[in-house]
Coordinates of all heavy atoms in Angstrom, one line a residue:
Chain A
E2034 N -28.5 -90.9 203.9 CA -28.1 -92.3 204.1 C -26.7 -92.3 204.8 O -26.4 -93.3 205.5 CB -28.0 -93.0 202.8 CG -29.4 -93.4 202.3 CD -29.4 -93.6 200.8 OE1 -28.3 -93.7 200.2 OE2 -30.5 -93.5 200.2
S2035 N -25.9 -91.4 204.6 CA -24.5 -91.5 205.1 C -24.4 -91.0 206.6 O -23.4 -91.4 207.2 CB -23.6 -90.6 204.3 OG -23.8 -90.8 202.9
F2036 N -25.3 -90.2 207.1 CA -25.1 -89.7 208.5 C -26.3 -90.0 209.3 O -27.4 -90.1 208.8 CB -24.8 -88.2 208.4 CG -23.6 -87.9 207.6 CD1 -23.7 -87.5 206.2 CD2 -22.3 -88.0 208.2 CE1 -22.5 -87.3 205.5 CE2 -21.2 -87.7 207.4 CZ -21.3 -87.4 206.1
R2037 N -26.1 -90.1 210.6 CA -27.1 -90.7 211.5 C -28.2 -89.7 211.9 O -29.4 -90.1 212.0 CB -26.4 -91.2 212.7 CG -27.4 -91.8 213.7 CD -26.7 -92.5 214.8 NE -27.7 -92.8 215.9 CZ -27.4 -93.3 217.1 NH1 -26.1 -93.6 217.3 NH2 -28.3 -93.5 218.0
F2038 N -27.8 -88.4 212.2 CA -28.8 -87.5 212.8 C -29.2 -86.5 211.8 O -28.4 -85.9 211.1 CB -28.1 -86.9 214.0 CG -27.9 -87.8 215.1 CD1 -26.6 -88.3 215.4 CD2 -28.9 -88.2 216.0 CE1 -26.4 -89.2 216.4 CE2 -28.7 -89.1 217.0 CZ -27.4 -89.6 217.2
W2039 N -30.5 -86.2 211.9 CA -31.1 -85.0 211.2 C -30.8 -83.8 212.0 O -31.2 -83.7 213.2 CB -32.6 -85.2 211.0 CG -33.2 -84.0 210.3 CD1 -32.7 -83.3 209.3 CD2 -34.4 -83.4 210.7 NE1 -33.6 -82.2 209.0 CE2 -34.6 -82.3 209.8 CE3 -35.4 -83.7 211.7 CZ2 -35.7 -81.5 209.9 CZ3 -36.5 -82.9 211.7 CH2 -36.7 -81.8 210.9
I2040 N -30.1 -82.8 211.5 CA -29.8 -81.6 212.2 C -30.8 -80.5 211.7 O -30.5 -79.6 210.9 CB -28.3 -81.1 212.0 CG1 -27.4 -82.3 212.1 CG2 -28.0 -80.0 212.9 CD1 -27.3 -82.9 213.5
N2041 N -32.0 -80.6 212.3 CA -33.0 -79.5 212.1 C -32.4 -78.3 212.8 O -31.5 -78.4 213.6 CB -34.3 -79.9 212.8 CG -35.4 -79.0 212.5 OD1 -35.3 -78.0 211.7 ND2 -36.5 -79.2 213.3
N2042 N -32.8 -77.1 212.4 CA -32.2 -75.9 213.0 C -33.2 -74.7 212.9 O -34.1 -74.7 212.1 CB -30.9 -75.6 212.3 CG -31.1 -75.4 210.8 OD1 -31.4 -74.3 210.4 ND2 -30.9 -76.4 210.0
G2043 N -33.0 -73.7 213.7 CA -33.9 -72.6 213.7 C -33.6 -71.6 214.8 O -32.5 -71.7 215.5
R2044 N -34.5 -70.7 215.1 CA -34.3 -69.6 216.0 C -34.8 -70.0 217.4 O -35.7 -70.9 217.5 CB -35.0 -68.3 215.6 CG -35.1 -68.1 214.1 CD -33.7 -68.1 213.5 NE -33.8 -68.2 212.0 CZ -33.6 -67.2 211.2 NH1 -33.3 -66.0 211.6 NH2 -33.7 -67.4 209.9
V2045 N -34.3 -69.3 218.4 CA -34.8 -69.5 219.8 C -35.3 -68.2 220.3 O -35.0 -67.1 219.8 CB -33.7 -70.1 220.7 CG1 -33.3 -71.4 220.2 CG2 -32.6 -69.1 220.8
N2046 N -36.2 -68.3 221.3 CA -36.9 -67.2 221.8 C -36.0 -66.0 222.3 O -36.4 -64.9 222.0 CB -37.6 -67.8 223.1 CG -38.4 -66.8 223.8 OD1 -39.3 -66.2 223.3 ND2 -38.1 -66.6 225.1
H2047 N -34.9 -66.4 222.9 CA -34.2 -65.4 223.6 C -33.4 -64.3 222.8 O -33.2 -63.2 223.3 CB -33.2 -66.1 224.5 CG -33.1 -65.7 225.9 ND1 -34.1 -66.1 226.8 CD2 -32.3 -64.9 226.6 CE1 -33.8 -65.6 228.0 NE2 -32.8 -64.9 227.9
V2048 N -33.0 -64.7 221.7 CA -32.1 -63.9 220.9 C -32.5 -63.6 219.5 O -33.3 -64.4 219.0 CB -30.6 -64.5 220.9 CG1 -30.1 -64.5 222.3 CG2 -30.7 -65.9 220.3
W2049 N -32.1 -62.6 218.9 CA -32.5 -62.2 217.6 C -31.4 -62.6 216.6 O -30.3 -62.1 216.7 CB -32.8 -60.7 217.5 CG -33.2 -60.2 216.2 CD1 -32.5 -59.3 215.4 CD2 -34.4 -60.6 215.4 NE1 -33.2 -59.1 214.2 CE2 -34.4 -59.9 214.2 CE3 -35.5 -61.5 215.7 CZ2 -35.3 -60.0 213.2 CZ3 -36.4 -61.6 214.7 CH2 -36.4 -60.8 213.5
Q2050 N -31.8 -63.3 215.6 CA -31.0 -63.6 214.4 C -29.5 -64.0 214.8 O -29.4 -64.9 215.6 CB -31.0 -62.4 213.5 CG -32.4 -62.0 213.0 CD -33.0 -63.0 212.0 OE1 -32.7 -64.2 212.1 NE2 -33.8 -62.6 211.1
T2051 N -28.5 -63.3 214.3 CA -27.2 -63.7 214.5 C -26.6 -63.2 215.8 O -25.4 -63.2 216.1 CB -26.2 -63.2 213.4 OG1 -26.4 -61.8 213.3 CG2 -26.6 -63.9 212.1
L2052 N -27.5 -62.7 216.7 CA -27.1 -62.1 218.0 C -26.3 -60.9 217.8 O -25.5 -60.6 218.7 CB -26.4 -63.1 218.9 CG -27.1 -64.3 219.4 CD1 -27.3 -65.4 218.4 CD2 -26.3 -64.9 220.6
Y2053 N -26.5 -60.2 216.7 CA -25.5 -59.0 216.4 C -25.6 -58.0 217.6 O -24.6 -57.5 218.0 CB -25.8 -58.4 215.1 CG -27.2 -58.0 214.8 CD1 -27.6 -56.7 215.2 CD2 -28.1 -58.8 214.1 CE1 -28.9 -56.3 214.9 CE2 -29.4 -58.4 213.8 CZ -29.8 -57.1 214.2 OH -31.1 -56.8 214.0
H2054 N -26.8 -57.8 218.1 CA -26.9 -57.0 219.3 C -26.6 -57.9 220.6 O -25.9 -57.6 221.5 CB -28.3 -56.4 219.5 CG -28.6 -55.2 218.8 ND1 -27.7 -54.1 218.8 CD2 -29.6 -54.8 218.1 CE1 -28.3 -53.1 218.1 NE2 -29.4 -53.5 217.6
H2055 N -27.3 -59.0 220.6 CA -27.4 -59.8 221.9 C -26.2 -60.4 222.3 O -26.0 -60.7 223.5 CB -28.6 -60.8 221.7 CG -29.9 -60.2 221.7 ND1 -30.9 -60.6 220.9 CD2 -30.4 -59.1 222.3 CE1 -32.0 -59.9 221.0 NE2 -31.7 -58.9 221.8
R2056 N -25.2 -60.6 221.4 CA -24.0 -61.2 221.9 C -23.2 -60.2 222.7 O -22.2 -60.6 223.4 CB -23.1 -61.7 220.7 CG -22.7 -60.6 219.8 CD -22.0 -61.1 218.6 NE -20.7 -61.7 218.9 CZ -19.6 -61.7 218.2 NH1 -19.6 -61.0 217.0 NH2 -18.6 -62.3 218.5
H2057 N -23.5 -59.0 222.7 CA -22.8 -58.0 223.4 C -23.5 -57.7 224.8 O -23.0 -56.9 225.5 CB -22.7 -56.7 222.6 CG -22.0 -56.9 221.3 ND1 -20.6 -57.3 221.2 CD2 -22.4 -56.8 220.1 CE1 -20.3 -57.4 220.0 NE2 -21.4 -57.1 219.2
I2058 N -24.7 -58.2 225.0 CA -25.5 -57.8 226.1 C -25.6 -59.0 227.1 O -26.1 -60.0 226.7 CB -26.9 -57.3 225.7 CG1 -26.8 -56.2 224.7 CG2 -27.7 -56.9 226.9 CD1 -28.0 -55.9 224.0
G2059 N -25.1 -58.8 228.3 CA -25.0 -59.9 229.2 C -26.2 -60.8 229.4 O -26.2 -62.0 229.3
F2060 N -27.3 -60.1 229.5 CA -28.6 -60.8 229.8 C -28.9 -61.8 228.7 O -29.4 -62.9 229.0 CB -29.7 -59.8 229.9 CG -31.1 -60.4 230.0 CD1 -31.5 -61.1 231.1 CD2 -32.0 -60.2 229.0 CE1 -32.7 -61.7 231.2 CE2 -33.3 -60.7 229.1 CZ -33.6 -61.5 230.2

Side-chain angles (χ1 to χ4, degrees):
Chain A
E2034 280 155 23
S2035 311
F2036 300 97
R2037 175 169 170 190
F2038 292 100
W2039 175 43
I2040 314 293
N2041 186 10
N2042 58 86
R2044 327 300 166 107
V2045 298
N2046 180 59
H2047 228 76
V2048 293
W2049 177 246
Q2050 302 290 32
T2051 55
L2052 291 78
Y2053 54 87
H2054 277 312
H2055 290 144
R2056 63 185 297 214
H2057 302 294
I2058 302 166
F2060 171 68

